[in-house]
Amino acid sequence: MAEGSRTTDEARYDFAAIQDRWLPVWDRLRPFNTANAPTGAARKYVLDMFPYPSGDLHMGHAEAYALGDVIARYWRHRGFQVLHPIGWDAFGLPAENAAIKRGLDPRGWTHDNIAQQRASMRRYAPSFDWDRVIQTCEPEYYRWNQWLFLRLYEKGLAYRKASLVNWCPFDQTVLANEQVVGGRCERCDTIVTKKKLTQWYFRITEYADRLVDDLAGLEGSWPAKVVSMQRNWIGRSTGADVHFAVEGRDEPIVVYTTRPDTLYGATFMVVAPDSDLAEELAAGASATVQAEFAAYLEKVRGMSEMERMNAGREKTGVFLGRYATNPLTGERLPIWAADYVLADYGHGAIMAVPAHDQRDFDFARRFDLPIRIVVDPTRGGTTGGAPLAERDPRVTGEALVGEGTLVASGDFTGLGKAEAIAAVTAWLAERGLGGPTTNFRLRDWLISRQRYWGTPIPIIHCAACGEVPVPDDQLPVVLPDAAGLDLQPRGTSPLGAADAWASVACPRCGGPARRDPDTMDTFVDSSWYFLRFLSPHDDTQAFDRAEVERWAPVDQYVGGVTHAILHLLYARFITKVLHDLGYVGFSEPFSALLNQGMVLMDGSAMSKSRGNLVRLSQQLDEHGVDAVRLTMAFAGPPEDDIDWADVSPAGSAKFLARAWRLAGAVESDPDGEAALGDTALRRATHRLLADVGPLVESFKFNVVVARLMDLVNTIRHRMDAGVASADPALREAVEALALVLDMFAPYTAEDMWQRLGHEPSVALAPFPAADDALLVEETVTAIVQVDGKLRDRLQVAATIDGAALEALARASEAALRAVGERRIVRVIVRAPRMVNLVTAP
RNA sequence: GCCGGUGUGGCGGAAUGGUAGACGCGGAGCACUCAAAAUGCUUUGCCCGAAAGGGCGUGUGGGUUCGACUCCCACCACCGGCACCA
């Protein structure tokens, strides 16, 4: 092979020099400044989740921003005006903890980290609009957090209440339900305890139904996994409330059940020991019962969430010495307190049906309570087989939770499960003894934090007026300087000690008052930041309505699946609130979502302690920005994890060098007539141009890269086959290469573009349309099958008709050999691609 | 337990119901070189065969179809989420 002949250009591909060449040019031209884009064009809002400034950028960032940038650059090449902003999620506990550990001010620490990340980001070169940077720790931003809080407060969606909350003993602060993972603090892994505190909440439960219902509209454009996780987390369940009269009490106990059909099987009641109801019921019982209950309650309170939530643990509880009445049967039911019933779900009390609920069954066994079967699974049940006597829970130890037919249930006997649920619920509703109800696993969002580094809550506490919101015109409530404050976590907010800051005159009565010392959960900051990007410097409002209408909602959101519940749920909630308040015209913030996977090393997540940390800066120094970015895109489907041990940034660099050298081989003029060039090469070029769109839009970035490699191989092969440097088809091919490559390797593409005689930036040059005429092949490979098995390949004209193709197939030597002595009884022809000869003996 | 997802060469992964393994990594051989690196060329699913050729192959077992990685049913394995939520 005539090696070297194809690479007439012997210049070396030097990624460092190329990076140094183009960074200052891009700084000057600002090609991705949204204002520089053609106006009037269709728009796309492509948003990457903004980073948290803890240390420098890492491999995970590199993947996320590489993939997000493919999409942003793609739409620009398609002629869209693209908004692709970046900022920093700069408040929060990790930064504060890190600063305290080092004896630094969180503000300085955070700013230093942002500066470092920003410099790294500039070199990594995602196509961001650098004029829209936001940092949530600046008053220019968090002022509007406070504004948002006040709007929720006005609507009764922000409120303060005392209740048992999740408490992290290490961080000395409360946690939202969503921040407790497996009973541990999401941040520091400490076992979470419960504490009774007065805290601020956002009433997200008021939106629970819509947060579930609207997921249907996201199906298909959000990952199925995320939709299902959200649905799971909100945990909507439908059933019925049932009122049970209590002996010696005026008010009935209300319970929630998803199985009203089993009401005849209720043999006792259970209330949550840490509920007010339990306390009240115990108080009305004998001294012995009171003592037992008190001891039990103490034991329960002493347990961590971890211990209490362990489902496998043996049931415990105490009899409260009180009785309720089954509304359907009039039967007398003993009332127990047991910690398997949760105080904050439903009504904190249940009717226990041991035959048809495993937990109730376990409890009944433990305390020798009656078990009564009221649903016969052998009739109408999904699992047939064994007779009822063998399926009895008392024999099997398994409650009968499935389908079946009601037995021993008075007038309801004989009904199926679904009919019975409806019938019993209706019966209860008619008599005012209950009715259909929906319940949610989701709890209100606890947003106050007893820490320094966050948005001050804009409320003033006045002895005379109570809670008084800070008037809008007095915003922002600026976070006081950390100097002189003790930031060590002690369970109360450090801001309370900033006397000069905390003491204020009540805005209502002018009397002495104090600011609320708590700060907001940082997830408040990120719940609406995508709107701030639309008018980041507006100091008169949180966001500009006209800009919102121009850009929002986000067309494509890109980020890690770690935020599948927390951030996305909160952002969806806040968007619905803003919609209801008339501030935005849509109620879902992110029309489409792409979750990139994680970057692993040797099969597990990277960590310093595990010793498998791959440093991004080292990878960039060694292989270059483009090679790392390309590797991220080429590794596989974006949502899959990448094991860095399995991929080859060196291979990526090799490919980039090959592609780059081709730009030096082109010797024709930019305005040459491509139609006069090599047809085979032109076909390859136009096939790529035709396929890029569908591939990128279905996130098959790895396939696009493979197709680019294919094109490079084809170009080289065509050159070997005699396509000259002056052939306009070569220029056409290499230009297409540079344009498509820009999505993955912007430096290399920009340099190629210049070598091809164009002005920067390649990122703003449109993709040429594929020429349909070049997509139609002249000859194709037809396959000949015998009984569905491949036996021969034929080169045929693409226009061949069925009869001609069949004739060729019947004449195929290989096919006839396979047919042997058998007869051909049927022929399926799909011209021009396939013939199947079906035989019989 | 419930919900969601995934199973394809040594590895990462391709494949509108119609040529399984595109593209790459890794391996082997060769060229260039004093040598190496770099670069380039050839080759590379498994088995039988010198070759021609043949057989087997997409987690397992069934099914639909002329034809199944792809569609349907059952099962197995792994990953992720939720989990004493009544």
Side-chain angles (χ1 to χ4, degrees):
Chain A
M1 206 48 58
E3 64 282 339
S5 66
R6 66 163 61 83
T7 50
T8 49
D9 177 62
E10 290 302 327
R12 234 179 84 253
Y13 173 75
D14 179 348
F15 66 79
I18 294 175
Q19 287 171 205
D20 289 344
R21 180 147 60 241
W22 293 109
L23 264 181
V25 176
W26 292 339
D27 284 346
R28 196 178 70 244
L29 294 178
R30 296 188 166 282
F32 311 116
N33 185 316
T34 313
N36 290 347
T39 49
R43 298 179 194 89
K44 288 282 180 187
Y45 185 178
V46 179
L47 182 63
D48 294 299
M49 290 181 185
F50 62 169
Y52 194 86
S54 49
D56 201 354
L57 297 183
H58 51 64
M59 296 298 282
H61 292 119
E63 185 189 3
Y65 295 116
L67 301 184
D69 207 36
V70 172
I71 298 170
R73 286 175 183 268
Y74 167 74
W75 288 116
R76 252 182 239 110
H77 285 298
R78 290 286 311 275
F80 283 71
Q81 189 184 9
V82 172
L83 174 57
H84 191 213
I86 186 68
W88 275 270
D89 187 15
F91 264 144
L93 243 143
E96 184 171 355
N97 286 346
I100 291 170
K101 201 166 137 195
R102 293 166 176 79
L104 300 169
D105 181 336
R107 182 173 284 107
W109 163 258
T110 299
H111 282 148
D112 287 352
N113 277 317
I114 290 176
Q116 185 183 29
Q117 289 197 350
R118 191 175 173 139
S120 299
M121 202 79 98
R122 170 176 171 268
R123 170 163 80 142
Y124 198 63
S127 59
F128 291 135
D129 180 345
W130 287 102
D131 291 337
R132 291 178 185 252
V133 171
I134 58 178
Q135 298 176 186
T136 57
C137 63
E138 310 303 333
E140 293 74 33
Y141 184 85
Y142 67 71
R143 165 182 187 171
W144 305 110
N145 274 347
Q146 294 168 340
W147 171 86
L148 179 69
F149 177 97
L150 293 172
R151 300 293 81 76
L152 268 75
Y153 185 78
E154 287 164 0
K155 288 286 167 188
L157 294 171
Y159 67 96
R160 215 158 73 116
K161 75 165 180 198
S163 70
L164 279 178
V165 298
N166 301 305
W167 178 260
C168 174
F170 179 83
D171 288 326
Q172 291 279 309
T173 187
V174 298
L175 300 170
N177 250 6
E178 289 79 357
Q179 286 163 324
V180 181
V181 179
R184 292 170 182 274
C185 172
E186 178 196 45
R187 292 295 185 192
C188 65
D189 226 29
T190 307
I191 292 179
V192 170
T193 60
K194 288 273 185 186
K195 206 168 176 177
K196 189 141 194 169
L197 288 170
T198 299
Q199 297 287 331
W200 286 99
Y201 292 84
F202 281 172
R203 210 180 291 278
I204 191 171
T205 52
E206 184 143 326
Y207 284 76
D209 257 319
R210 282 163 68 190
L211 287 167
V212 176
D213 291 342
D214 292 355
L215 285 171
L218 300 174
E219 225 130 15
S221 22
W222 277 35
K225 181 181 175 175
V226 175
V227 172
S228 125
M229 281 167 76
Q230 294 242 331
R231 210 170 260 137
N232 235 313
W233 185 264
I234 299 165
R236 179 160 66 187
S237 105
T238 56
D241 276 353
V242 187
H243 298 206
F244 288 76
V246 179
E247 294 174 11
R249 186 178 192 256
D250 295 337
E251 289 292 303
I253 294 180
V254 182
V255 305
Y256 172 72
T257 178
T258 53
R259 294 296 303 277
D261 56 315
T262 61
L263 192 45
Y264 270 85
T267 54
F268 57 101
M269 313 270 302
V270 186
V271 299
D274 46 352
S275 64
D276 295 344
L277 177 61
E279 209 173 325
E280 183 213 309
L281 290 171
S286 70
T288 324
V289 166
Q290 288 189 31
E292 278 171 10
F293 173 73
Y296 183 62
L297 181 58
E298 196 177 338
K299 206 176 85 196
V300 168
R301 287 218 167 121
M303 265 188 293
S304 72
E305 277 294 280
M306 280 281 275
E307 296 169 288
R308 182 166 173 184
M309 287 303 192
N310 180 6
R313 157 178 153 254
E314 192 174 14
K315 295 281 180 287
T316 60
V318 290
F319 177 46
L320 290 177
R322 306 285 298 264
Y323 291 89
T325 308
N326 186 324
L328 205 50
T329 64
E331 194 179 0
R332 202 165 179 243
L333 306 175
I335 305 174
W336 289 66
D339 65 359
Y340 79 92
V341 172
L342 309 175
D344 58 354
Y345 184 76
H347 304 284
I350 63 156
M351 66 177 207
V353 185
H356 304 291
D357 181 282
Q358 190 62 41
R359 298 150 302 184
D360 297 344
F361 176 77
D362 294 342
F363 191 83
R365 273 257 164 127
R366 172 78 178 72
F367 294 101
D368 208 19
L369 293 159
I371 295 163
R372 188 185 310 140
I373 295 173
V374 293
V375 180
D376 180 355
T378 64
R379 290 195 286 147
T382 42
T383 50
L388 186 56
E390 287 174 29
R391 307 258 293 270
D392 190 312
R394 282 158 290 203
V395 177
T396 62
E398 305 279 325
L400 297 165
V401 297
E403 301 291 320
T405 302
L406 262 63
V407 291
S409 296
D411 292 345
F412 301 100
T413 298
L415 294 179
K417 177 176 161 183
E419 306 163 281
I421 288 174
V424 172
T425 306
W427 188 94
L428 291 166
E430 277 163 25
R431 287 159 185 78
L433 296 171
T437 322
T438 304
N439 259 293
F440 298 92
R441 216 187 72 98
L442 184 70
R443 304 290 192 275
D444 275 342
W445 175 14
L446 199 175
I447 60 117
S448 46
R449 296 291 180 274
Q450 290 68 58
R451 297 296 296 255
Y452 168 76
W453 192 229
T455 304
I457 290 175
I459 292 288
I460 290 166
H461 299 281
C462 169
C465 312
E467 277 171 17
V468 181
V470 174
D472 278 359
D473 59 13
Q474 291 175 28
L475 298 181
V477 176
V478 176
L479 188 65
D481 206 83
L485 289 181
D486 175 13
L487 302 188
Q488 286 293 340
R490 300 192 193 284
T492 53
S493 175
L495 292 182
D499 238 7
W501 175 85
S503 315
V504 287
C506 170
R508 200 161 289 162
C509 70
R514 289 188 75 79
R515 292 193 186 282
D516 194 295
D518 287 357
T519 53
M520 292 184 213
D521 182 3
T522 44
F523 280 104
V524 175
D525 310 4
S526 54
S527 67
W528 68 281
Y529 78 114
F530 65 99
L531 294 169
R532 186 63 185 168
F533 278 130
L534 306 180
S535 46
H537 311 299
D538 193 330
D539 58 5
T540 65
Q541 52 190 339
F543 43 84
D544 183 304
R545 182 69 198 246
E547 292 295 310
V548 168
E549 267 162 28
R550 190 164 295 134
W551 291 104
V554 173
D555 293 292
Q556 182 64 58
Y557 200 28
V558 180
V561 74
T562 43
H563 293 109
I565 296 172
L566 290 161
H567 161 59
L568 292 173
L569 190 67
Y570 295 150
R572 295 182 60 224
F573 160 59
I574 292 297
T575 301
K576 289 180 196 306
V577 172
L578 290 171
H579 170 267
D580 291 356
L581 295 176
Y583 289 106
V584 301
F586 49 89
S587 60
E588 283 291 338
F590 312 120
S591 303
L593 175 66
L594 173 63
N595 281 138
Q596 86 280 1
M598 289 192 304
V599 186
L600 314 175
M601 185 61 188
D602 293 322
S604 42
M606 293 182 193
S607 77
K608 215 175 282 177
S609 57
R610 204 180 268 120
N612 66 345
L613 198 71
V614 177
R615 287 187 51 217
L616 173 62
S617 58
Q618 190 272 330
Q619 293 292 308
L620 297 177
D621 290 345
E622 186 175 342
H623 304 290
V625 169
D626 282 355
V628 170
R629 292 179 54 147
L630 188 77
T631 301
M632 295 293 184
F634 186 50
E639 57 276 10
D640 288 3
D641 289 346
I642 299 173
D643 192 328
W644 203 247
D646 289 338
V647 296
S648 173
S652 298
K654 221 162 85 178
F655 162 73
L656 290 172
R658 265 203 295 254
W660 180 85
R661 279 196 301 266
L662 288 176
V666 173
E667 284 176 11
S668 56
D669 284 342
D671 48 8
E673 183 57 59
L676 302 174
D678 179 67
T679 309
L681 186 51
R682 297 205 69 212
R683 285 185 191 284
T685 302
H686 283 260
R687 261 200 309 277
L688 174 69
L689 290 172
D691 291 347
V692 163
L695 286 171
V696 172
E697 288 178 42
S698 54
F699 306 137
K700 294 181 176 182
F701 308 146
N702 55 329
V703 180
V704 178
V705 175
R707 297 294 306 277
L708 278 171
M709 291 173 168
D710 246 343
L711 181 62
V712 167
N713 292 341
T714 303
I715 293 170
R716 289 151 55 94
H717 293 146
R718 289 314 295 160
M719 290 175 78
D720 283 344
V723 168
S725 291
D727 189 314
L730 178 65
R731 163 170 288 279
E732 182 184 47
V734 179
E735 288 191 347
L737 184 62
L739 284 163
V740 178
L741 190 62
D742 171 62
M743 296 189 291
F744 309 97
Y747 288 106
T748 306
E750 190 77 278
D751 213 60
M752 289 172 70
W753 198 239
Q754 186 198 40
R755 300 180 93 208
L756 289 164
H758 297 293
E759 292 295 313
S761 169
V762 67
L764 300 180
F767 285 155
D771 181 347
D772 287 341
L774 287 166
L775 303 177
V776 182
E777 291 156 293
E778 282 166 351
T779 65
V780 298
T781 305
I783 56 167
V784 182
Q785 298 176 345
V786 175
D787 295 323
K789 281 194 173 180
L790 176 69
R791 295 297 175 182
D792 201 5
R793 293 180 171 85
L794 306 170
Q795 279 303 120
V796 300
T799 51
I800 194 167
D801 66 30
L805 185 60
E806 180 177 340
L808 286 175
R810 283 177 177 277
S812 158
E813 212 174 292
L816 289 175
R817 193 164 49 234
V819 170
E821 296 304 306
R822 289 165 299 173
R823 281 184 308 121
I824 295 170
V825 294
R826 192 176 162 194
V827 181
I828 289 109
V829 184
R830 296 281 179 276
R833 292 282 177 190
M834 198 249 1
V835 179
N836 188 10
L837 306 173
V838 183
T839 69

